[in-house]
Amino acid sequence: MARNPLTREEVMETAASLVQQQGPRALTMRKLAAELGTAVTSIYWHIGNREQLLDALVERTIQEMGAIRPTGRTPHARIVSVGRALRTALRERPQLIAMVHERGLTERMFLPAQQALVHEAHAAGLRGELAAEAVRAVQFQVVGFVLVERNRERSPAQHPSEGELWDSPTAGHDPALARALAGPVDAEQLFLVSLEALVTSLLAVAAGDT
Amino acid sequence: MARNPLTREEVMETAASLVQQQGPRALTMRKLAAELGTAVTSIYWHIGNREQLLDALVERTIQEMGAIRPTGRTPHARIVSVGRALRTALRERPQLIAMVHERGLTERMFLPAQQALVHEAHAAGLRGELAAEAVRAVQFQVVGFVLVERNRERSPAQHPSEGELWDSPTAGHDPALARALAGPVDAEQLFLVSLEALVTSLLAVAAGDT
DNA sequence: ACCTGAACACCGTTCAAGT
DNA sequence: ACCTGAACACCGTTCAAGT
């Protein structure tokens, strides 16, 4: 029970921990009020409605992430490092992904990496629209991958549907392929392979190589 | 009011149209019952609870999509064509994406393309784990992109946050870059560029070129 | 300026009771 | 086998009333 006057900060704090522990669906105004020891309606006075609360939480989490610092020598390595760091940062905050998911705020997840990517794209010799395209390609790639990855993890069931391919005409001739597709995904490796591929192509354009 | 005995089919049909028109959030058991002219509880007898209903709808929509047929001459072109077709098919069914979103079923969206991709990867000379990796890389790429794209479209607000970069140190030196980043995304082009890049790299591996 | 309880209009789900 | 209404335990939000 909080006797001292309720604070916007206090509400945010409690809401954040609630989301962190049980996901955004569990963040109900009434539960939150109970946790805070106040009436439900007090929250409305300080924060507004549930949507605004979620928005504020998303913003807060993004702030906490801070900037992303590239590592490595070559432009290629540095851009890839930004992608990896962004994925790591997002995966460390599954609640963020879930909240962004629930509302339509994916582009918020782009922000932490954007400055760094712009800088690196420029350093790699990309200019103007081409640089913008490269920045966005990496952002879409990374965020998209993380969305798929998380969504996959959320799914409780095994993925037996992929087993269908075991006896598909093509896979039947290639047992190793069938086995690999039936098995679990090595997300880490898949992420790296895809990102490397993308960056390679983007930089090939910069080098004048078509 | 439906006097004839309620059918599982009838429930699914009505539920589908409800989702199509107003999104999965509007699919409430009570609204659905009202639409059908029955008591809410009848639905439970035929279908089960809301989760099972959504699962069934997802499955149904996937079935409707049917198989994806590659076009083009070269392996590269054919794989890219599968990616494009998959994206188009998904974008034509925004309700599917929303439903899959709400539940954790992303991998269901992988299925329509998988057979075709396996075939094409094989035709391109990829075998075993390498082929599996290529198939999955394309799947993740396409589905991830569509997820980001859709989520972006759902967001009502403009994206002023990207304007931040206008006066970022790097972008400041490159007005064309700043302008491009502040403007809207050409999703179509971004998708193609990324997909082409990925496929090029995946096939380079097949050609023995490291 | 801040907090409150009552009330409204919704939910999904269960269950005993009907035919 | 199929359908029903009542009931339970939840929601978010508004609003008039308090201090």
Side-chain angles (χ1 to χ4, degrees):
Chain A
M1 336 151 190
R3 281 217 184 63
N4 2 12
L6 194 56
T7 313
R8 184 188 157 86
E9 244 335 288
E10 198 188 348
V11 177
M12 296 282 297
E13 204 75 42
T14 311
S17 94
L18 231 165
V19 169
Q20 196 142 12
Q21 287 164 24
Q22 323 196 30
R25 279 207 122 124
L27 175 55
T28 150
M29 302 301 270
R30 293 174 127 105
K31 262 192 208 150
L32 180 54
E35 200 80 21
L36 287 162
T38 49
V40 208
T41 41
S42 304
I43 300 170
Y44 284 81
W45 199 92
H46 285 280
I47 311 259
N49 59 23
R50 189 170 177 275
E51 291 236 316
Q52 295 172 268
L53 175 53
L54 278 177
D55 274 354
L57 281 176
V58 166
E59 221 58 47
R60 200 180 122 108
T61 312
I62 294 276
Q63 297 306 327
E64 279 174 12
M65 288 178 61
I68 282 179
R69 246 172 270 288
T71 66
R73 287 265 175 74
T74 65
H76 179 103
R78 292 173 69 79
I79 294 178
V80 169
S81 84
V82 172
R84 298 185 67 169
L86 176 56
R87 169 163 172 262
T88 304
L90 293 179
R91 284 185 58 80
E92 277 166 358
R93 290 160 186 84
Q95 2 87 24
L96 174 63
I97 300 170
M99 276 169 1
V100 153
H101 218 223
E102 209 198 339
R103 321 219 44 252
L105 291 175
T106 320
E107 81 271 18
R108 278 282 182 263
M109 301 206 281
F110 287 175
L111 277 193
Q114 199 167 50
Q115 300 261 8
L117 284 175
V118 165
H119 185 79
E120 296 306 326
H122 224 251
L126 291 167
R127 294 289 180 276
E129 290 192 14
L130 226 52
E133 195 175 77
V135 168
R136 278 178 166 152
V138 173
Q139 290 177 320
F140 267 70
Q141 169 105 326
V142 174
V143 173
F145 192 97
V146 173
L147 282 183
V148 171
E149 199 181 0
R150 271 293 300 169
N151 201 293
R152 228 159 197 274
E153 288 167 1
R154 255 212 306 160
S155 168
Q158 303 298 77
H159 315 297
S161 46
E162 295 194 322
E164 265 181 53
L165 285 177
W166 282 24
D167 49 11
S168 101
T170 305
H173 295 283
D174 190 342
L177 167 63
R179 224 179 306 119
L181 275 181
V185 179
D186 183 345
E188 185 73 24
Q189 156 140 4
L190 195 58
F191 176 75
L192 260 185
V193 166
S194 304
L195 183 55
E196 298 265 10
L198 178 65
V199 175
T200 300
S201 282
L202 292 173
L203 295 193
V205 173
D209 181 12
T210 337
Chain B
M1 340 151 184
R3 279 216 184 65
N4 2 13
L6 195 56
T7 312
R8 183 188 159 87
E9 244 335 287
E10 198 188 347
V11 176
M12 295 283 295
E13 204 75 43
T14 311
S17 96
L18 232 164
V19 168
Q20 197 141 12
Q21 286 165 24
Q22 324 197 29
R25 279 207 123 125
L27 175 55
T28 148
M29 302 301 271
R30 293 173 127 104
K31 261 192 209 148
L32 180 54
E35 200 80 22
L36 287 163
T38 50
V40 208
T41 40
S42 303
I43 300 170
Y44 285 82
W45 200 92
H46 285 280
I47 310 258
N49 58 24
R50 189 171 177 275
E51 291 237 315
Q52 296 171 267
L53 175 53
L54 278 177
D55 275 353
L57 281 177
V58 167
E59 221 59 47
R60 201 181 122 109
T61 312
I62 294 277
Q63 296 306 328
E64 278 173 13
M65 289 178 61
I68 283 179
R69 247 171 270 288
T71 65
R73 285 267 176 74
T74 65
H76 179 103
R78 293 173 68 80
I79 294 178
V80 169
S81 84
V82 172
R84 299 184 67 169
L86 177 56
R87 170 163 172 263
T88 304
L90 294 179
R91 284 184 59 80
E92 276 166 359
R93 289 160 186 84
Q95 3 87 24
L96 174 63
I97 300 171
M99 277 169 1
V100 152
H101 218 223
E102 209 200 337
R103 322 219 45 247
L105 291 175
T106 318
E107 79 270 19
R108 278 282 183 263
M109 300 206 282
F110 287 175
L111 277 194
Q114 199 167 49
Q115 299 261 8
L117 284 175
V118 165
H119 186 79
E120 295 306 325
H122 223 251
L126 291 167
R127 294 288 179 276
E129 289 193 15
L130 226 53
E133 197 176 75
V135 168
R136 278 177 166 153
V138 173
Q139 290 177 319
F140 267 71
Q141 169 105 326
V142 174
V143 174
F145 192 96
V146 173
L147 283 183
V148 171
E149 198 180 3
R150 270 293 299 167
N151 202 295
R152 229 158 195 274
E153 287 168 0
R154 255 212 306 158
S155 169
Q158 303 297 75
H159 315 297
S161 46
E162 295 193 324
E164 264 180 55
L165 286 177
W166 282 24
D167 49 9
S168 102
T170 305
H173 295 283
D174 190 342
L177 167 63
R179 223 178 309 118
L181 276 181
V185 179
D186 183 345
E188 185 74 24
Q189 156 141 3
L190 195 58
F191 176 75
L192 259 185
V193 165
S194 304
L195 184 55
E196 297 265 11
L198 178 65
V199 174
T200 300
S201 283
L202 292 174
L203 295 192
V205 172
D209 181 11
T210 336

